[in-house]
Amino acid sequence: MTATLGTLGPATGTTRRPAPAPLTPQVSLDPAAVRHNVRTLQAHTHAALMAVVKADGFGLGAAALARAALDAGAQRLGVATLAEARALRAAGVRVPLLCWLWHADDVVALAAAVRSGVEVAVADLAHLAAVCAFAPGARVHLHLDTGLGRDGAEPERWDALVAAARSAELAGRVHVVGVMGHLAEGARPDAASTRHALALMTSAVARAEAVGLRPRWRHLAATAATLHVPAAHGDVVRVGAGLVGIDPAGGGLLRPAGTLRTPILTVRAVRAGTGVGYGHTWVAAHDTRLGLLPLGYADGLPATAPGVADVLVGRRRRPLVATCMDMAVVDLGAPDPRAPGVEQEAVVWGPGDHGEPTPRDWAGWAAVLEHQVLTGLGTRVRRVSSGAR
């Protein structure tokens, strides 16, 4: 039972509540929302769907996100790094899995990944040489830079790469199973960069086939292009942000798939004029009650949020007034007569179904991407599935 505070007396006080373990913040993944998102995305394409679960499943747990997506009909998985691929294999996930961000000198991890059936992207001759020497027989996707200027082979180096890949395939060193690129403006089908990328991709596949390669998978579209650029779909679409409810174009078709909750460790009655936090950046304008959250900027709560952000406590939004590395303070105001004793838990963000802020709200408050709100969660935040509390 949560202890409650009476009216303010001559002295302030702190009430500590007994609560069930764990007394830690936790983020829960809603598999039903993931299934809805996968099916919504699949309704927009005839291509196969690769569920991208990089960055620990966009902060919500890679293995759980992968299983929910696969249950909904995703056929393949994608991750950025070899370590992420290794973690999924260690969790027992055995479906086709592509990794595209790795160093050509990381040959031990590369060899282990390929032995476990991980497919790898090849962006240049150095990566191809590493695969041939240390992971023979690998299934590779040749990666073309289609306009982002970051990963992938430059278009002028493409012919050399496909020629070398064909020679390696004839020698039995690799199997070229895909050609991949990425869009700079995936929500804008009429953008010049999108038209340029589509033309580059068409040309790249034709040039690969001209030397004898027969890639099964051609992929250019991520979430935004899956929803908005049908011409980019190819044989498979790579959907990551969309799995967890983020549509970069804000179409409103997808459901947020995570909820971040934290216990309220203490409730403290304070007088008007009480300063909170370093530098007393917030001062109570009137007598009030403050709730202490064991969640700070080391856990992904934006340091810039106090003064603009709020959380849901019971049925009401309460303002965040201070944040430090390990904790935050919420102004609880007067007790809610409609829901006495509710100050056990705060919902930081979620789908918004019960009035809580959403990741999009937090992105606006902190002037960051929704992706950062989710992936910024620290390791102290416990990952659970819906229904596990």
Side-chain angles (χ1 to χ4, degrees), residues 47 92 108 113 130 142 154 170 191 227 237 319 325 330-331 343 349 364 382:
V108 174
L142 301 181
E154 301 96 320
L170 289 171
L227 292 171
V237 293
M325 183 178 290
V330 174
D331 182 2
E343 287 93 3
W349 47 253
R382 182 169 171 254

Side-chain angles (χ1 to χ4, degrees), residues 69-354:
L70 293 168
D71 286 346
Q75 296 98 329
R76 305 174 66 82
L77 296 176
V79 293
T81 69
L82 294 171
E84 292 172 337
R86 182 171 61 249
L88 281 176
R89 289 297 191 239
V93 179
R94 299 296 176 216
V95 301
L97 171 60
L98 171 65
C99 167
W100 53 79
L101 188 64
W102 54 282
H103 197 285
D105 289 340
D106 196 4
V107 295
V108 174
L110 169 67
V114 170
R115 284 196 302 270
S116 70
V118 174
E119 300 172 3
V120 293
V122 167
D124 56 33
L125 294 176
H127 285 82
L128 180 63
V131 170
C132 291
F134 299 98
R139 293 165 60 86
V140 304
H141 296 237
L142 301 181
H143 192 175
L144 173 69
D145 178 4
T146 50
L148 273 77
R150 49 182 207 187
D151 198 13
E154 301 96 320
E156 61 270 21
R157 298 177 185 271
W158 184 251
D159 286 340
L161 180 59
V162 296
R166 177 56 174 161
S167 295
E169 190 171 71
L170 289 171
R173 308 303 288 177
V174 299
H175 303 288
V176 177
V177 299
V179 171
M180 64 183 289
H182 201 27
L183 293 174
E185 297 179 272
R188 299 182 59 203
D190 296 326
S193 66
T194 301
R195 296 195 302 270
H196 181 62
L198 290 169
L200 278 177
M201 189 71 171
T202 299
S203 173
V205 172
R207 286 148 66 192
E209 291 176 340
V211 300
L213 296 173
R214 296 293 180 265
R216 167 64 182 87
W217 305 105
R218 294 162 297 169
H219 44 114
L220 185 62
T223 294
T226 300
L227 292 171
H228 305 289
V229 189
H233 290 185
D235 303 300
V236 62
V237 293
R238 301 187 308 268
V239 175
L243 299 176
V244 297
I246 298 173
D247 175 2
L253 298 175
L254 306 176
R255 295 180 185 170
T259 299
L260 176 61
R261 305 174 185 273
T262 179
I264 298 175
L265 293 187
T266 64
V267 176
R268 177 188 304 267
V270 299
R271 295 287 194 184
T274 300
V276 177
Y278 296 117
H280 287 179
T281 54
W282 183 85
V283 177
H286 48 74
D287 295 353
T288 190
R289 300 173 312 135
L290 303 178
L292 181 68
L293 312 182
L295 188 75
Y297 59 75
D299 307 294
L301 204 65
T304 56
V308 293
D310 49 39
V311 300
L312 185 69
V313 179
R315 300 177 182 179
R316 297 183 61 179
R317 294 273 195 104
R318 301 292 191 176
L320 188 73
V321 301
T323 301
C324 65
M325 183 178 290
D326 309 303
M327 63 192 82
V329 178
V330 174
D331 182 2
L332 295 173
D336 188 344
R338 299 173 301 170
V342 299
E343 287 93 3
Q344 296 188 16
E345 179 182 77
V347 181
V348 180
W349 47 253
D353 296 339
H354 303 288

Side-chain angles (χ1 to χ4, degrees), residues 47-85:
L49 192 143
M50 178 188 297
V52 176
V53 296
K54 62 184 180 178
D56 193 22
F58 285 75
L60 302 181
L65 181 60
R67 292 188 177 104
L70 293 168
D71 286 346
Q75 296 98 329
R76 305 174 66 82
L77 296 176
V79 293
T81 69
L82 294 171
E84 292 172 337

